[in-house]
């Protein structure tokens, strides 16, 4: 299994490979369920093993999945190469295709969150009350500059990492945390961005 402390920084090529409905689900399934063959993954995701094998090889080509070398016969046993991935929007913005792929990927994650959390709401009443009270969602807002926001997110990651690295306590279950940080007033551009936009509009043709 991937090391708990690893993270894969998406390159332009990697994000273009990952931005595909089946490939994104394959990577997520391997991270959640551990190593699996293409046949098992195809059954889990209701697709065919030929397409699954092809897309696994595409993910392998950019370092997102790897062959464990433990498969039986011709059946390769695949694993997620890392436990998470991240990106810098400005790094990927230099490549138009990568920027477009990232836009698709981020919105796909938004759909995934909506589906997953919606499913939890559908079944929550069947869970013990202590779990219903412990789980949930919330939001708040802070006033920060970009440097402070980066620091805040790093600190949150450090807290989560302590729990990821700890030995599971009795009665523990896997819990997913989604993070999203974005301006509370996204239509109010910062002064420097607004000035740049105005300069672009006034440049002679």
């Amino acid at each position: 299994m991937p090391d708990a402390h690893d993270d894969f920084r998406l390159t332009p090529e990697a994000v273009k490979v990952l931005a595909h409905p089946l490939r994104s689900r394959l990577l997520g399934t391997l991270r959640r369920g551990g190593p699996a063959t293409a046949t098992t993954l195809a059954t889990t995701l209701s697709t065919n093993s030929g397409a699954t094998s092809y897309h696994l090889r595409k993910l392998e080509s950019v370092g997102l999945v790897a062959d464990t070398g433990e498969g039986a016969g011709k059946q390769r046993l695949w694993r997620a190469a890392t436990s998470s991935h991240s990106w810098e929007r400005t790094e990927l913005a230099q490549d138009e295709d990568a920027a477009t792929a990232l836009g698709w990927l981020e919105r796909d994650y938004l759909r995934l969150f909506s589906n997953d959390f919606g499913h939890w709401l559908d079944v929550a009443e069947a869970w013990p009350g202590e779990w219903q009270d412990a789980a949930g969602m919330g939001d708040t807002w802070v006033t920060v500059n970009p440097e402070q926001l980066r620091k805040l997110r790093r600190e949150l990651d450090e807290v989560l990492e302590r729990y990821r690295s700890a030995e599971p306590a009795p009665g523990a279950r896997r819990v997913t945390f989604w993070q999203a940080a974005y301006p509370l007033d996204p239509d109010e551009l910062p002064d420097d961005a607004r000035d740049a936009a105005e300069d672009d509009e006034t440049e002679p043709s």
Side-chain angles (χ1 to χ4, degrees):
M1 293 293 289
D3 185 271
H5 301 277
D6 65 0
D7 182 74
F8 183 93
R9 177 60 63 87
L10 290 179
T11 62
E13 186 59 33
V15 73
K16 284 184 277 189
V17 167
L18 184 57
H20 180 282
L22 181 54
R23 293 173 195 163
S24 182
R25 289 187 296 155
L26 284 168
L27 180 58
T29 301
L30 287 172
R31 284 179 174 162
R32 287 187 180 194
T37 65
T39 301
T40 299
L41 290 165
T43 299
T44 300
L45 298 176
S46 300
T47 183
N48 67 77
S49 58
T52 300
S53 293
Y54 170 78
H55 291 299
L56 284 166
R57 291 194 297 272
K58 294 295 287 186
L59 291 168
E60 180 187 33
S61 72
V62 293
L64 284 166
V65 305
D67 185 344
T68 65
E70 300 173 358
K74 295 182 179 180
Q75 286 279 2
R76 301 175 71 181
L77 188 65
W78 297 93
R79 66 174 177 85
T82 61
S83 60
S84 64
H85 56 265
S86 59
W87 57 85
E88 292 282 351
R89 291 182 64 88
T90 52
E91 289 179 4
L92 300 176
Q94 308 306 314
D95 183 317
E96 184 176 350
D97 290 338
T100 300
L102 178 61
W104 182 90
L105 193 63
E106 289 177 321
R107 292 189 180 276
D108 188 54
Y109 291 154
L110 175 61
R111 289 189 291 269
L112 179 62
F113 166 71
S114 179
N115 290 338
D116 282 358
F117 189 64
H119 181 62
W120 161 250
L121 296 180
D122 290 339
V123 304
E125 290 184 0
W127 279 64
E130 60 183 355
W131 275 102
Q132 294 186 50
D133 292 339
M137 67 184 303
D139 70 290
T140 188
W141 59 270
V142 295
T143 303
V144 294
N145 62 25
E147 181 180 352
Q148 291 173 313
L149 182 55
R150 284 181 176 272
K151 181 180 179 182
L152 171 58
R153 295 185 65 194
R154 284 197 302 269
E155 291 173 351
L156 291 174
D157 286 341
E158 289 168 2
V159 171
L160 290 170
E161 187 57 41
R162 289 205 302 271
Y163 284 87
R164 282 168 54 88
S165 303
E167 193 69 24
R173 299 291 297 271
R174 294 192 300 176
V175 173
T176 183
F177 273 83
W178 287 79
Q179 296 183 54
Y182 54 92
L184 184 64
D185 304 298
D187 294 323
E188 297 180 11
L189 295 177
D191 291 340
D192 52 350
R194 185 167 56 248
D195 291 344
E198 291 174 352
D199 290 342
D200 289 342
E201 291 175 358
T202 56
E203 284 184 359
S205 58

